[in-house]
Amino acid sequence: MHCPFCKNDDTRVIDTRVVEEGLAIRRRRECAQCGERYNTYETAELKMPVMVKSNGRREAFDEKKLRTSFERAVQKRPVSSEQIDACVHAIMHRLMRHTDRELQSRHLGILVMDELKKVDQVAYVRFASVYRKFQDVEDFKEEIERLVRDLPGLADEQMPLLDDNNKP
């Protein structure tokens, strides 16, 4: 491993730990030449299924795109980066277990909505509005009613979707 600071190839491992629920190993390294310390991560490289878009185009799975989707949906919401990481890892784990080499991208969207529904209802509705291409307020209303009907226990745990004080 080359030092990222001075490019020396003589580095040593100071500490090794299992991280991300056993899915990765973090190694703390030190450069023998400049003395700088840095972390490296080691993970198993598993084949993710190829995403088949609605227009038939095939695209490699991109974890960054998945993470960006979550970050956009939860923007300005009380959702921690750890919760986002957990959602992304849960979806990736489900995709890795998938036996097909190709997967319809709409299936990935459903997985994202399933995870968002558990984390934040407002983020779920935001994502659903884009994913399902809501056309008007009625589409939002129907989705919120479905959410309240399907998840009565979660409705009490999270912040309300509609502020009761703003009723006409």
Side-chain angles (χ1 to χ4, degrees):
M1 172 67 60
H2 293 280
C3 172
F5 303 101
C6 71
K7 308 297 183 224
N8 181 32
D9 64 353
D10 186 16
T11 63
R12 66 184 182 101
V13 175
I14 298 170
D15 183 38
T16 301
R17 293 180 190 224
V18 175
V19 294
E20 297 182 24
E21 299 176 11
L23 297 176
I25 296 175
R26 179 185 65 89
R27 298 192 194 282
R28 185 77 176 142
R29 295 178 174 270
E30 181 178 44
C31 177
Q33 183 172 326
C34 68
E36 290 288 341
R37 292 182 175 190
Y38 57 96
N39 294 329
T40 59
Y41 292 87
E42 187 177 310
T43 59
E45 186 175 39
L46 300 171
K47 281 283 208 186
M48 298 297 276
V50 171
M51 297 290 111
V52 180
K53 302 293 203 170
S54 58
N55 64 6
R57 196 179 79 233
R58 284 159 172 69
E59 188 176 292
F61 172 79
D62 187 349
E63 180 183 352
K64 289 179 184 177
K65 285 175 96 172
L66 177 62
R67 186 173 304 279
T68 299
S69 295
F70 275 99
E71 289 169 351
R72 283 186 184 147
V74 302
Q75 190 173 20
K76 296 185 181 180
R77 297 292 305 151
V79 177
S80 69
S81 58
E82 289 81 15
Q83 288 174 297
I84 294 171
D85 289 343
C87 290
V88 169
H89 287 296
I91 289 174
M92 289 181 63
H93 182 69
R94 288 173 73 177
L95 292 177
M96 282 185 239
R97 290 189 340 216
H98 206 286
T99 56
D100 295 335
R101 291 183 180 262
E102 293 184 344
L103 184 69
Q104 297 293 321
S105 61
R106 70 175 177 269
H107 182 71
L108 181 60
I110 292 167
L111 294 176
V112 170
M113 287 195 301
D114 288 346
E115 291 298 318
L116 282 172
K117 196 181 288 188
K118 298 173 196 172
V119 175
D120 187 271
Q121 294 171 357
V122 173
Y124 165 79
V125 172
R126 279 182 185 167
F127 185 87
S129 71
V130 174
Y131 181 72
R132 294 188 177 147
K133 300 177 182 152
F134 289 2
Q135 296 297 316
D136 55 27
V137 175
E138 194 61 33
D139 291 339
F140 280 93
K141 183 180 174 194
E142 289 172 12
E143 189 64 36
I144 291 169
E145 288 170 353
R146 185 177 349 189
L147 180 63
V148 170
R149 184 180 59 244
D150 292 348
L151 298 173
L154 285 180
D156 299 331
E157 296 174 20
Q158 295 186 21
M159 295 174 64
L161 290 168
L162 301 173
D163 187 2
D164 291 335
N165 297 332
N166 290 340
K167 287 185 178 177

